Amino acid sequence: MSVLKTSLRNFFAHKGRMALSAVAVLLSVAFVSGTLVFTDTMNTTFDKLFAVTASDVTVSPKGSGDDESPAAGRPEALPASLVDEIASAEGVASAEGAVMSMSVTVVDSANKNMGSDGGAPTIAANWTKNELKSMEITSGHAPRGPTEVMVDADTADKHGLKLGDELRTIAVTGDLTAKISGIASFKVTNPGAAVVYFDTATAQRGLLGREGQFTHVLVTAAPGVADEQLKKNVAAVLDAPYKLQTAKEAADAGREEVSSFLDVMKYAMLGFAGIALLVGIFLIVNTFSMLVAQRTREIGLMRAIGSSRRQVNRSVLVEAVLLGVVGSVAGVAAGVGLAVGLMKLMGAVGMNLSTDDLTVKWTTPAVGLVLASS
């Protein structure tokens, strides 16, 4: 107990130097914790989005999403007749064709780009029942013909769009000029994509070049039918090789597509955190070296009154542990604040991340404590 009392007394007796060391620990832990919280939150956001938007089974062209996909900007397509074939499979409650392209540019009447500044894609699609899982029409109505288009609420708010405004969607197959008939809001966090919707015929002509084609078919299972079984049933009625994915497989594929971007961001930020950690280590080592040097007489007195070398070493170690615990706890808290700040910054450049999805895994404070104790 005397060793602990001595350690506490010395800890508070050198508040200034200890505060500088604590700040070094705090900054190091904050950078690492903030990076982990930020990237974990991004993963949570995308996971929720993929999980909500994926249908029970998705049928798409064999090369869709692979390196074999065409590079000319025209999405691969499958025949519309496939929808009826799939609908006839056992265990299918419904099947609907969908058209989607991310190789588009959307501009307003002044030719101002409506896309995100943060690297998120601009998506053009037909409005389907499946979209109701993640979107809700909050103003106007869904597009009903070639002169109407619906836009997501985030894009409308960002660019001051309203019903009746004109948008021009530029695709490899041509231009689509239409007036906004409706505005739809995301039910989950939109990571920043700008989305426009057309009626099915218009989307087919404008994005695929002609009617009678879809980029994929969305299949809903009948009650009690598992996704894996539905996938097998649908495969059984198809006479050509198509790509079939369950909801989980589609969500995993979507996660893999964004993982490279998230990994680059994560490791770049951890690189800066590593630099802060190295600087902190040098500062803490120098601080404790000076403190021990200044307390030579005190240490000698402790040895003279019977304290062993082990007790003296333990006294210094306890001070270091106290410093690490205080710094790490404050650092983790500061890291969460840093993550929220990064989310706001990403929002300013077009990638929206909601604090509702803020994710602090148990590993984050654990890593903070390990870093502080090291």
Side-chain angles (χ1 to χ4, degrees):
M1 183 62 70
S2 60
V3 172
L4 179 59
K5 287 183 178 180
T6 302
S7 300
L8 289 172
R9 180 177 61 80
N10 288 327
F11 185 85
F12 291 107
H14 303 89
K15 293 187 293 292
R17 294 187 185 277
M18 288 297 183
L20 290 176
S21 297
V23 169
V25 175
L26 184 151
L27 291 176
S28 303
V29 173
F31 275 116
V32 174
S33 299
T35 298
L36 295 177
V37 172
F38 178 68
T39 53
D40 287 342
T41 299
M42 290 189 70
N43 281 322
T44 298
T45 297
F46 282 107
D47 286 350
K48 284 185 176 181
L49 181 63
F50 294 143
V52 169
T53 56
S55 58
D56 295 333
V57 169
T58 301
V59 182
S60 52
K62 185 65 175 178
S64 179
D66 302 329
D67 292 338
E68 301 172 5
S69 297
R74 188 196 300 262
E76 284 197 83
L78 41 77
S81 58
L82 209 63
V83 176
D84 291 335
E85 291 181 36
I86 293 172
S88 67
E90 184 179 354
V92 173
S94 65
E96 60 179 343
V99 178
M100 186 183 74
S101 176
M102 292 189 290
S103 300
V104 298
T105 299
V106 178
V107 298
D108 61 10
S109 57
N111 286 327
K112 180 182 177 182
N113 192 346
M114 299 291 100
S116 168
D117 299 325
T122 298
I123 301 172
N126 66 323
W127 180 254
T128 65
K129 293 179 181 178
N130 189 70
E131 300 299 329
L132 294 173
K133 295 179 180 179
S134 58
M135 305 291 290
E136 178 184 9
I137 300 177
T138 52
S139 180
H141 58 81
R144 298 169 179 168
T147 60
E148 296 183 345
V149 64
M150 185 160 63
V151 65
D152 72 278
D154 292 337
T155 300
D157 291 341
K158 180 179 178 181
H159 297 286
L161 300 175
K162 59 185 184 300
L163 297 180
D165 286 352
E166 188 175 85
L167 291 181
R168 177 185 170 208
T169 302
I170 305 168
V172 68
T173 52
D175 293 5
L176 291 170
T177 301
K179 292 185 177 181
I180 298 175
S181 66
I183 296 175
S185 299
F186 278 89
K187 296 179 183 179
V188 293
T189 300
N190 171 23
V195 187
V196 292
Y197 293 102
F198 299 93
D199 71 283
T200 297
T202 301
Q204 288 173 325
R205 289 194 302 269
L207 304 178
L208 301 180
R210 63 188 179 91
E211 295 184 26
Q213 292 184 330
F214 293 110
T215 55
H216 46 284
V217 178
L218 308 174
V219 189
T220 302
V225 179
D227 290 355
E228 285 292 344
Q229 184 59 52
L230 181 66
K231 178 180 175 181
K232 293 177 182 178
N233 295 346
V234 171
V237 302
L238 298 178
D239 56 2
Y242 293 102
K243 183 177 181 180
L244 279 71
Q245 293 176 305
T246 63
K248 182 181 183 304
E249 290 170 342
D252 290 343
R255 190 179 302 112
E256 287 181 8
E257 288 181 7
V258 300
S259 63
S260 57
F261 166 73
L262 296 181
D263 286 345
V264 169
M265 179 178 292
K266 178 178 180 178
Y267 293 127
M269 294 172 65
L270 285 176
F272 288 108
I275 295 173
L277 178 62
L278 289 175
V279 172
I281 289 173
F282 283 118
L283 178 59
I284 293 167
V285 169
N286 288 335
T287 298
F288 271 86
S289 296
M290 288 186 289
L291 288 175
V292 172
Q294 290 175 350
R295 290 160 52 190
T296 302
R297 289 186 179 180
E298 180 183 327
I299 293 173
L301 180 59
M302 291 176 65
R303 292 298 304 277
I305 62 176
S307 296
S308 64
R309 179 185 294 273
R310 185 176 180 180
Q311 287 177 312
V312 173
N313 290 338
R314 191 185 303 167
S315 174
V316 177
L317 181 60
V318 168
E319 292 178 41
V321 170
L322 287 172
L323 176 65
V325 170
V326 172
S328 63
V329 171
V332 171
V336 173
L338 178 62
V340 173
L342 287 172
M343 291 165 64
K344 298 295 184 184
L345 179 62
M346 293 299 290
V349 298
M351 179 171 282
N352 301 319
L353 296 171
S354 172
T355 52
D356 292 340
D357 294 330
L358 189 67
T359 304
V360 184
K361 296 182 178 179
W362 69 267
T363 51
T364 298
V367 169
L369 287 170
V370 170
L371 288 176
S373 62
S374 62

